[in-house]
Amino acid sequence: METILEIKNVTKRFGGLTAVNDVSFSVKAGEILSVIGPNGAGKSTLFKLISSFLSTTSGEVRLSGERINNLAPHAVARKGVVRTFQETTIFRSMTVRENIIVSHHLRSNASLFGFFLGTRAARSDEAVFGESADAIIDFLGIQAIRNELASTLPQGHLRALGMAIGLATNPKVLLLDEPFAGMNHDETMHMVDLVRRLRDERGVTVLLVEHDMPAVMKISDRIVVLNFGEKIAEGTPQEIQNNNNVIEAYLGSEDAAIGM
């Protein structure tokens, strides 16, 4: 598999605090790679650097060889690196389908003024986005809630909607920020299956940050481990489970916390 995303010697400092320190790894096209680590390890900061919601102090992020760090976040999203948020950014007064349609805006041919006037380009976009939204709803198996208001959805359905919003942007690399947070076991296993299908059937490369270690060990092709802003390990789930540096970083937690 070819490399689609490269993180090269990325560092982020906030004044005298180094939140991410000289981190490097690559992500292969079609891979599911998880970033894990204890609280405060720098995982969320790294995600913000990759998606350009924060600027790097030094280092590079490259998508298919093109440098994308320190661009505007919407420009990075247009190039294909799309981040879903831990707090799931949605329009709560809209239905599930309406949320997904609105999320296609990065792919618009018409201008905002064109949508206001109802131009031919705007009408064409609306038709295409409606068809795409319906296809995403079918793919994720959420037909039963397509017309439900987002404000009424339970946690598991909110996570599915967050993934649908990400899919609407037609991503090459989807960054999932704690996709299993707040879910029970059955909801987590359902989301694990959805993420795998996203990779297998839609060809989307997935990079995720997650605290649910059993789910991480089940879903990941490879895992990168951060501690105090530095990469301390990288490998397959089995290699990570047996890595002494990782075990030491998680001391104070039960061994089950890292899937052992």
Side-chain angles (χ1 to χ4, degrees):
M1 293 185 292
E2 67 179 30
T3 296
I4 190 169
L5 189 68
E6 293 178 276
I7 290 81
K8 303 175 67 175
N9 307 110
V10 165
T11 295
K12 179 61 180 180
R13 298 188 184 93
F14 297 97
L17 172 67
T18 301
V20 174
N21 187 24
D22 197 31
V23 170
S24 297
F25 62 91
S26 61
V27 185
K28 302 293 185 183
E31 187 172 39
I32 299 175
L33 187 144
S34 296
V35 178
I36 68 171
N39 288 332
K43 305 181 297 296
S44 293
T45 299
L46 179 63
F47 252 39
K48 291 174 183 176
L49 295 170
I50 293 171
S51 55
S52 208
F53 279 82
L54 285 175
S55 60
T56 56
T57 302
S58 61
E60 296 181 349
V61 179
R62 290 187 173 270
L63 176 69
S64 299
E66 179 185 1
R67 182 169 176 166
I68 61 171
N69 56 301
N70 302 343
L71 297 177
H74 72 271
V76 172
R78 282 184 182 274
K79 291 179 182 295
V81 177
V82 177
R83 176 184 171 215
T84 65
F85 293 88
Q86 189 174 342
E87 53 271 20
T88 309
T89 302
I90 60 171
F91 295 101
R92 293 186 174 271
S93 61
M94 289 185 177
T95 67
V96 166
R97 186 175 186 270
E98 288 168 343
N99 265 280
I100 299 170
I101 290 173
V102 169
S103 302
H104 285 76
H105 70 279
L106 286 175
R107 297 161 57 182
S108 296
N109 292 312
S111 65
L112 182 62
F113 192 58
F115 279 101
F116 179 75
L117 293 178
T119 63
R120 179 181 297 178
R123 293 196 301 272
S124 176
D125 279 348
E126 287 175 349
V128 170
F129 296 164
E131 291 177 2
S132 176
D134 290 337
I136 291 170
I137 287 168
D138 290 343
F139 173 76
L140 294 177
I142 55 175
Q143 297 93 333
I145 63 167
R146 60 186 291 132
N147 295 318
E148 296 290 329
L149 290 178
S151 60
T152 68
L153 299 178
Q155 188 67 30
H157 286 154
L158 280 174
R159 294 295 177 184
L161 177 55
M163 188 178 295
I165 288 170
L167 280 177
T169 65
N170 197 27
K172 296 176 182 176
V173 181
L174 189 60
L175 279 59
L176 301 178
D177 193 351
E178 298 196 23
F180 313 126
M183 292 185 178
N184 62 36
H185 178 267
D186 289 345
E187 289 173 331
T188 296
M189 291 302 99
H190 178 64
M191 187 60 70
V192 165
D193 289 340
L194 284 182
V195 174
R196 282 180 173 157
R197 288 183 57 218
L198 182 64
R199 185 269 306 275
D200 295 341
E201 298 178 24
R202 292 218 164 199
V204 177
T205 301
V206 178
L207 183 63
L208 63 91
V209 162
E210 183 53 61
H211 287 288
D212 186 330
M213 289 302 99
V216 165
M217 294 298 165
K218 186 177 182 66
I219 199 173
S220 305
D221 296 312
R222 287 189 303 124
I223 298 170
V224 168
V225 187
L226 300 183
N227 195 27
F228 296 111
E230 297 185 352
K231 187 180 84 170
I232 62 170
E234 178 180 348
T236 65
Q238 186 63 45
E239 290 169 340
I240 294 303
Q241 286 177 321
N242 296 325
N243 187 292
N244 288 332
N245 289 334
V246 178
I247 294 170
E248 183 178 350
Y250 277 93
L251 282 176
S253 302
E254 296 181 3
D255 288 343
I258 54 172
M260 299 183 68

